[in-house]
Amino acid sequence: MAEQMQKIVAQQPEAYAQLVKAASESFKDIALFEQSSFYNDLVLDAKGRLVRSEMNFKIGDFADLGIKNMTVLGTVNFHSYGSAKIDQQQLKNAVSFKQASNENAILSLGNAWDELTRDEPDVSSKTESQSWSKTQRYEKIAESLTQQNVKFLDAYATLYRYAYLLEGEDVEESEFDLKDLNDTARWTAIYYADEHGLPLTAKEKAEYDQSPDEWYYYDESIADSVWDILSTQQTHKKLAQQFQQLRKQGKTDAQIFAALYLYLETENEKRETGQKNVKFDQRFLEYVKVLADLAIDDLKTQKINTDKLKRFDTEERYWFNETSYTQVYQLFIQ
């Protein structure tokens, strides 16, 4: 409690000062991480409790030493939570972070760490570091599931369960029902597969039809987010496969670039409009062809001839999609 903490500090000021000094020493190298990119990966169990915490830093500014990349990996595993319970009444009287964080307190050292690990980076901060956001975690999981060729329904249900445990409505542990969450994840996966025209078996359709009217662990925002992330990963996988197929067919680099860029734009249009069949007019197809020529020229000469775009007016130049362009471009330099 705050009262007990104040008594300890008052009774042992010298020992407390030494503790602050020692803690400060252990944190002095944190400046190394301030301009570094990093992610913090959290693994939860079925009840939403932390099982593993992994922080991976990529540290720069070592080029002068001949070191191009330096990484630091820290891992903490939680093997058991035992049977201890938290007394909520005691917590109400505990030291608040604000109260404890003064310039002489050990917890004030946490300010620097808080800046680095906040889920949304402080826009006023000069550091380029930011936490590995929830979305990026989901993307890595979706990427892993896609690479392992996990079936869509299983992949969706897995990612939905994980996302719900992180973001879903808080439920008392005594009331939490893992089977209900598993069922909700499964039914939601079938629903999204059906909505977007993915093939379903008669058994899967019957399973959905027989589900109850109310899904206790359903969250529309999470469900939409999981679909967007998983479908994007599926698109990336198909993109890489098409790239290899077109190469084997002997297509030119410009033809390959145009075909893949158009594929991504088609998928984007489907997601935005909900249409299953998308057609672009001839003018847009001409634009994509010119864009492909520019990209291949850039790959070969590291120069872009903007004169090739002069035939298109200002409004038409807004057709450019940087994300699609980058995704296709990267296939050529991997």
Side-chain angles (χ1 to χ4, degrees), residues 17-271:
Q18 289 296 317
L19 191 58
V20 171
K21 182 179 178 181
S24 299
E25 285 293 312
S26 68
F27 271 79
K28 68 179 181 180
D29 292 331
I30 198 170
L32 283 173
F33 302 131
E34 288 183 353
Q35 300 301 322
S36 306
S37 61
F38 70 93
Y39 65 80
N40 184 19
D41 186 15
L42 305 176
V43 179
L44 308 179
D45 66 10
K47 295 183 178 180
R49 298 176 302 192
L50 188 62
V51 175
R52 177 184 177 90
S53 176
E54 184 174 284
M55 183 161 281
N56 191 318
F57 284 89
K58 291 184 178 180
I59 307 175
D61 300 329
F62 284 91
D64 293 342
L65 301 177
I67 302 173
K68 292 184 178 180
N69 295 296
M70 177 177 289
T71 61
V72 176
L73 179 65
T75 303
V76 178
N77 291 301
F78 298 82
H79 297 287
S80 173
Y81 277 85
S83 59
K85 292 184 178 181
I86 295 174
D87 184 343
Q88 298 292 333
Q89 196 61 38
Q90 292 285 341
L91 281 179
K92 292 179 181 178
N93 300 317
V95 183
S96 68
F97 187 84
K98 184 175 181 181
Q99 180 183 356
S101 294
N102 60 68
E103 61 181 11
N104 294 317
I106 296 176
L107 288 179
S108 67
L109 297 171
N111 286 337
W113 193 250
D114 182 57
E115 287 295 321
L116 290 177
T117 57
R118 64 176 68 246
D119 204 43
E120 294 296 332
D122 185 351
V123 294
S124 64
S125 175
K126 295 182 179 179
T127 177
E128 294 177 1
S129 299
Q130 66 183 55
S131 69
W132 198 31
S133 71
K134 291 185 180 71
T135 300
Q136 288 172 298
R137 289 182 210 157
Y138 301 159
E139 287 172 349
K140 293 297 288 185
I141 295 172
E143 180 182 353
S144 175
L145 294 171
T146 301
Q147 289 174 347
Q148 295 175 59
N149 296 316
V150 175
K151 293 180 180 179
F152 173 79
L153 294 184
D154 294 333
Y156 186 98
T158 298
L159 194 53
Y160 184 90
R161 286 195 300 269
Y162 180 77
Y164 192 91
L165 288 170
L166 276 184
E167 299 182 64
E169 184 178 349
D170 290 336
V171 181
E172 291 291 334
E173 184 174 333
S174 60
E175 299 175 3
F176 180 80
D177 191 318
L178 180 58
K179 183 180 182 304
D180 280 351
L181 176 58
N182 289 337
D183 287 341
T184 299
R186 173 74 175 178
W187 297 328
T188 306
I190 296 174
Y191 169 77
Y192 273 81
D194 186 55
E195 279 290 296
H196 295 277
L198 300 182
L200 291 171
T201 65
K203 183 179 179 181
E204 289 164 348
K205 291 180 180 179
E207 182 182 346
Y208 175 81
D209 292 337
Q210 294 167 12
S211 66
D213 293 335
E214 183 178 354
W215 301 350
Y216 188 71
Y217 292 103
Y218 180 74
D219 186 302
E220 185 175 3
S221 175
I222 292 175
D224 284 342
S225 177
V226 170
W227 162 257
D228 289 340
I229 291 170
L230 199 56
S231 62
T232 298
Q233 287 300 327
Q234 295 285 348
T235 299
H236 289 172
K237 182 180 179 180
K238 291 178 181 176
L239 191 71
Q241 292 172 340
Q242 289 183 25
F243 178 78
Q244 295 300 329
Q245 290 172 356
L246 292 170
R247 272 270 167 90
K248 291 179 181 178
Q249 293 171 13
K251 301 291 186 181
T252 66
D253 285 347
Q255 288 173 329
I256 294 174
F257 195 101
L260 298 182
Y261 183 90
L262 193 60
Y263 167 72
L264 287 178
E265 289 300 275
T266 301
E267 292 300 308
N268 291 336
E269 191 71 14
K270 286 180 180 179
R271 278 194 292 270

Side-chain angles (χ1 to χ4, degrees), residues 269-281:
E269 191 71 14
K270 286 180 180 179
R271 278 194 292 270
E272 291 177 6
T273 64
Q275 298 177 2
K276 293 184 178 180
N277 297 313
V278 176
K279 290 185 178 181
F280 295 106
D281 60 32

